[in-house]
Amino acid sequence: MIARIKEFLGMEAQPKEVASEQEVEKVAEEKAKPRIGYIHLSGCTGDVMSLSENYDILAPLLTEMVDIVYGQTLADVWEMPEMDVALVEGSVCLQDEHSVKELMEAREKAGLVVALGSCAATGCFTRYSRGGQQANPNHESFVPIADLIKVDAALPGCPPSPEIIAKTVVAVINGDMDYLQPMIDLAGYTEAGGSDLQYKVVNQALCIGCGTCAMACQTRALDMTSGRPELNEDRCVKCGVCYIQCPRSWWPADRINKDLGL
Amino acid sequence: MVLGTYKQITLGRSTDKQIQKISQDGGIATALLCFALDEKIIDGAVVAGPSDEMWKPMPTVAMTSDDIMAAAGTKYTLSPNNWMLKQAVRQYGLEKVGIVTIPCQTMGIRKMQSYPFGVRFMADKIALDIGICCTENFPFESLRTFISAKAGVDFDLVEKMDIGKGKFWVHTQDDVISFPIKETHGYEQNGCKVCLDLVSELSDISTGSIGAPDDWSAVQVRTDIGETVFKKAVDAGAIELKPIDEGKFGLEMLTRLAKSKKEKAMKVIDERKAMGLPVPYKASSEKEDPLANV
Ligand SMILES: Cc1cc2nc3c(=O)[nH]c(=O)nc-3n(C[C@H](O)[C@H](O)[C@H](O)COP(=O)(O)OP(=O)(O)OC[C@H]3O[C@@H](n4cnc5c(N)ncnc54)[C@H](O)[C@@H]3O)c2cc1C
Ligand code: SF4
Ligand code: SF4
Ligand code: SF4
């Protein structure tokens, strides 16, 4: 997997501090631009909007560094071409044969498949679907894309923050695999929800009442009561962000020291 | 490096008489936040403020020096300060937030800054993190047990609690009661048992009482931000310094206690791993330096 990312970028891992403009241009000149496809399944478009909030890096990114070769509204193409990376937004509806087919095809044609956003990564709020709605009452079963295909990396978030998208892009440009490791690991985190805090942190004698989970929850489904997270199930969209941000779920010590200059 | 990476270690205390009176130790936390607010280094701060119930802190967004001072003093129970960062940024619209955190809270903030998966436009708004030392923390009911059962005092009459010199101290207006810290064992929250960090190794500036004489604080200046702010505060006369004693009651004690906390936690981490229980940190066998904070 790591080799594949490096190979696709045509570079060996040589972590640099930040992607300077010159470096970006150099990469753009020297390497064939990676071909990116955007596959939009059952998601709200929030993920690509979050990406586009990176105004400062977006223009050079789109014009100089990558080729968008496929994607509704992004490229005027009907046939899915070969791609280096497929970014998938949204969960996949098992009853929607077009979505299933598009996802399968993306896996075949893309070197790497990235689940962008919680719907693709964990199913997020589409997990609540039970069918019986318009436009198609038969559309009932929405699952994270990893249920159907092998996913190489995930960027959960509802939506993932503009910053994490930018940081990931920079890491990919620099071949900084250490930074990307959590994204690779998170590809396996497909059954998520606020109750993970109780099962995987509090029940495991790990919670220290820091409140990071409640700070991170975008829907305010979490309160802190007697120093422990208390979940309001009705508000939870099962994005997994609370557990992912908890300092007691996984701990990227080296990266943090580096970022702080310690 | 059991005290983490730092640029400077010193004793310090607030020069403000009012802060000296109300603060836990040298008033470094309160003095630095008030100074940063005056100097517009921060435009508000998250602190463990008072709640309706005595000694039960409520994370609070402090917008004035008075608010910051109202939170002075240690409350030995859970105050999920990180939670309030959201209000500080979203509701109060702060652009430069200061915060006081115990080591595990500092860790939550730093992880969010390095990996802000679902947290938008927050990472860059943390302008100053004052870390305070922490050996362990207690659920509120544990604290109630200490005060009413062990010290035999009415909660409302307590003016200050403190841990030091092997004892838990309870101050009332006309009395000081203490009992051995050993008697608090078994009352601490469980998550503390795998905690490797005594001195808030990841904060901008960390401070605690260990290694300092009464009414002074030991301070470690850690990051570039921390260095800038601390220097300004000292130059402006908000904080006075004196060198830390290298010996038995100074640096030596701080180092010894930091090391023993790490050794104890490493033992629990290794035991948990052997039982197949999750821990976010590496086992001692997987680490180059078994006492590193990973
Ligand atoms: C649970 C706990 C355990 C501690 N254990 C040790 C120890 O073993 N050794 C040691 O040297 N120091 C320990 N400290 C730190 C010490 O008690 C002082 O808080 C520290 O020295 C700062 O003193 P000061 O005079 O600078 O702070 P002050 O100016 O009095 O300000 C204290 C600040 O701490 C914050 N605060 C108070 N209670 C909490 C809380 N529960 N959670 C988060 N923030 C809080 C307040 O918001 C306030 O801003 C502990 C603190 C806590 C909260
Ligand atoms: S983020 Fe903090 S409060 Fe929330 S579950 Fe994790 S340790 Fe507990
Ligand atoms: S509690 Fe909040 S952050 Fe956690 S899964 Fe539910 S919606 Fe997401
Ligand atoms: S001992 Fe560690 S985990 Fe426990 S409250 Fe203190 S800093 Fe947090």
Side-chain angles (χ1 to χ4, degrees), chain B residues 165-290:
Chain B
K165 306 183 183 91
K167 290 190 168 151
F168 193 105
W169 303 84
V170 181
H171 300 247
T172 62
Q173 198 168 14
D174 35 38
D175 216 356
V176 182
I177 303 143
S178 69
F179 56 88
I181 192 74
K182 273 203 195 86
E183 288 187 28
T184 66
H185 291 176
Y187 286 94
E188 67 278 20
Q189 70 172 342
N190 286 293
C192 297
K193 291 178 184 151
V194 298
C195 176
L196 293 155
D197 190 351
L198 174 74
V199 289
S200 242
E201 295 177 30
L202 302 174
S203 59
D204 293 316
I205 299 166
S206 56
T207 185
S209 61
I210 304 174
D214 283 354
D215 301 326
W216 284 79
S217 294
V219 184
Q220 296 90 26
V221 181
R222 298 183 180 279
T223 62
D224 292 342
I225 294 174
E227 187 178 35
T228 313
V229 177
F230 194 69
K231 189 168 181 309
K232 277 190 192 162
V234 173
D235 289 348
I239 288 172
E240 57 182 321
L241 306 182
K242 66 179 185 185
I244 187 165
D245 169 21
E246 299 278 332
K248 212 163 121 202
F249 297 107
L251 198 50
E252 215 177 287
M253 178 154 75
L254 185 56
T255 309
R256 182 169 53 80
L257 291 180
K259 184 156 176 264
S260 93
K261 177 170 178 177
K262 283 175 189 285
E263 285 167 346
K264 265 198 232 157
M266 257 345 291
K267 200 160 158 262
V268 179
I269 291 167
D270 288 345
E271 280 166 11
R272 284 183 62 107
K273 296 245 173 187
M275 282 195 282
L277 291 171
V279 200
Y281 313 123
K282 289 182 183 154
S284 52
S285 57
E286 300 168 288
K287 293 182 5 180
E288 239 170 80
D289 171 8

Side-chain angles (χ1 to χ4, degrees), chain A residues 50 53 154-157 159-164 167 178-179 182-183 186 204-212 214-218 220 222-224 226-228 241 244-257 259-260 262, chain B residues 5 56 78-87 90-91 102 104-105 107-124 189-192 194-195 201-204 222-224 272 277-282 293-294:
Chain A
S50 194
E53 277 185 75
L155 275 185
S161 68
E163 297 104 303
I164 195 78
K167 278 169 173 282
D178 293 339
Y179 189 73
M183 286 73 167
L186 283 168
Q204 302 293 339
L206 289 173
C207 180
I208 28 77
C210 64
T212 310
M215 175 266 280
C217 176
Q218 303 94 322
R220 297 185 190 236
L222 294 168
D223 250 319
M224 294 300 297
S226 302
R228 294 291 175 263
V241 162
I244 291 167
Q245 301 291 167
C246 169
R248 289 297 176 88
S249 56
W250 52 283
W251 180 241
D254 296 339
R255 167 61 51 169
I256 288 171
N257 282 328
D259 285 354
L260 287 171
L262 295 177
Chain B
T5 309
K56 192 178 207 169
L78 311 166
S79 175
N81 288 1
N82 290 5
W83 178 33
M84 212 39 63
L85 280 173
K86 178 162 219 141
Q87 264 83 328
R90 298 279 182 275
Q91 247 143 285
I102 47 178
C104 56
Q105 297 174 337
M107 291 167 95
I109 291 176
R110 296 316 190 194
K111 178 172 160 182
M112 178 272 286
Q113 289 180 305
S114 286
Y115 284 97
F117 276 101
V119 186
R120 42 187 289 127
F121 304 140
M122 168 92 71
D124 58 335
Q189 70 172 342
N190 286 293
C192 297
V194 298
C195 176
E201 295 177 30
L202 302 174
S203 59
D204 293 316
R222 298 183 180 279
T223 62
D224 292 342
R272 284 183 62 107
L277 291 171
V279 200
Y281 313 123
K282 289 182 183 154
N293 199 7
V294 289

Side-chain angles (χ1 to χ4, degrees), chain A residues 87-203:
Chain A
L87 300 174
V88 183
E89 164 165 358
S91 59
V92 56
C93 174
L94 297 179
Q95 289 83 28
D96 178 1
E97 54 184 284
H98 298 291
S99 292
V100 173
K101 185 170 157 284
E102 203 183 1
L103 183 64
M104 295 301 191
E105 196 182 349
R107 179 66 279 184
E108 251 171 55
K109 297 205 162 145
L112 297 170
V113 174
V114 177
L116 179 66
S118 284
C119 283
T122 71
C124 204
F125 80 108
T126 68
R127 284 284 197 186
Y128 286 104
S129 169
R130 303 183 305 153
Q133 78 283 317
Q134 295 298 359
N136 192 336
N138 180 42
H139 284 185
E140 171 175 347
S141 320
F142 295 78
V143 294
I145 60 170
D147 280 14
L148 292 192
I149 61 163
K150 184 176 172 306
V151 174
D152 299 300
L155 275 185
C158 184
S161 68
E163 297 104 303
I164 195 78
I165 297 175
K167 278 169 173 282
T168 305
V169 169
V170 171
V172 166
I173 292 168
N174 287 335
D176 181 355
M177 294 317 301
D178 293 339
Y179 189 73
L180 299 174
Q181 191 57 49
M183 286 73 167
I184 296 167
D185 297 340
L186 283 168
Y189 182 46
T190 58
E191 289 183 14
S195 49
D196 285 347
L197 300 173
Q198 183 68 25
Y199 295 149
K200 299 181 181 182
V201 190
V202 179
N203 286 170

